[in-house]
Amino acid sequence: RDWIKEQHSDASHNNWIHAPPQVPPHLDDSDSVMTQLALKKINAFSGFGHGFYFWNFRTELEEPHWSYMLALDRGWIPKGNLDSELVNNACLKEDAGLYFCVCKRNQLESSLRGTIKWCLQEEGKYDELGNVDNLKGEDLYQEADKVFNSYWTAHRLEGATCDFGGLGILQEMNKTDSDYMDDDFFYYREGTPDVTGMILKLFWTLIGGLAAGGLLGFFIAMRLNKKFNAKITKTLSKSSLGSKLKNS
């Protein structure tokens, strides 16, 4: 759901509880996201402590995000036996270490530096603190990738998350992050894609292709078709261009 887009386009959607953002059904993946979130939370809390509970059992709002009963009806939370294969296997990738904890791009550099320093201090890596203030741009992001992942890997079994105040995000190990772009940042701060430029590039590519194909066809016809060759030669000989070629 494009929360930021709706927030910018319609002020009435600022109240997310009473007016949740709406999207076309084929673009709304809320059911899958919330189901996976519930399964992973149950899996995580079942292994530690004395269990868990859902804070809002039932509310006056017809909103499954805030109601245990409605979330059950929606299928987000499984019914019946929670010691099922579905729950037990919900975090297999996380348990196998198939995720990296990386830094989101387009974040405040001051926030990144503060969080990096906190992680390094918690890890006792005081000798690395001095270089943090000198890092900028992608160098700072790459340092955050390294530090965030190191801290999360070392402490995730103790309950540490890859959040870091909203600066971190989990990414599957077999996927590249080289082309990472925050869609919301791009949409609102960098502008929409240059459609006119794309059309012009396509147009000139088409024209160039037609011109190249036409020249190639002309040369092939001149070489293989004697009548065509003779007609073109005769036409050129009568033209001013042909006279100039003869004089030269």
Side-chain angles (χ1 to χ4, degrees), residues 189-209:
R189 293 163 177 77
E190 297 296 334
T192 55
D194 184 6
V195 177
T196 302
M198 293 171 62
I199 294 176
L200 287 174
K201 287 181 180 179
L202 180 61
F203 173 77
W204 288 116
T205 300
L206 180 62
I207 293 298

Side-chain angles (χ1 to χ4, degrees), residues 64-153:
H65 290 87
W66 297 90
S67 171
Y68 175 79
M69 300 302 294
L70 291 180
L72 280 178
D73 293 339
R74 189 76 172 261
W76 293 354
I77 299 176
K79 298 180 180 180
N81 181 21
L82 296 181
D83 188 22
S84 64
E85 184 177 348
L86 195 63
V87 173
N88 293 333
N89 294 336
C91 298
L92 285 180
K93 289 184 178 181
E94 289 87 344
D95 294 339
L98 299 181
Y99 284 91
F100 284 123
C101 178
V102 299
C103 169
K104 296 177 182 177
R105 269 42 181 178
N106 303 315
Q107 304 300 310
L108 288 175
E109 292 192 353
S110 59
S111 299
L112 288 176
R113 291 192 184 94
T115 306
I116 291 173
K117 290 179 178 180
W118 179 86
C119 291
L120 293 175
Q121 290 172 343
E122 289 292 310
E123 294 285 275
K125 300 177 181 178
Y126 300 103
D127 56 326
E128 300 180 24
L129 290 171
N131 189 45
V132 176
D133 290 328
N134 299 324
L135 298 175
K136 295 181 179 180
E138 186 58 28
D139 290 336
L140 180 62
Y141 290 128
Q142 290 182 5
E143 179 67 14
D145 289 343
K146 183 181 71 174
V147 173
F148 287 5
N149 189 64
S150 175
Y151 182 88
W152 176 72
T153 301

Side-chain angles (χ1 to χ4, degrees), residues 45-66:
F45 285 109
S46 295
F48 299 92
H50 300 286
F52 52 90
Y53 63 91
F54 196 94
W55 183 264
N56 294 315
F57 183 78
R58 189 196 302 270
T59 69
E60 65 276 12
L61 300 175
E62 289 295 320
E63 170 53 58
H65 290 87
W66 297 90

Side-chain angles (χ1 to χ4, degrees), residues 17 120-121 147 177 182 187 194 248:
I17 299 176
L120 293 175
Q121 290 172 343
V147 173
D177 194 45
D182 187 325
Y187 187 90
D194 184 6
S248 62

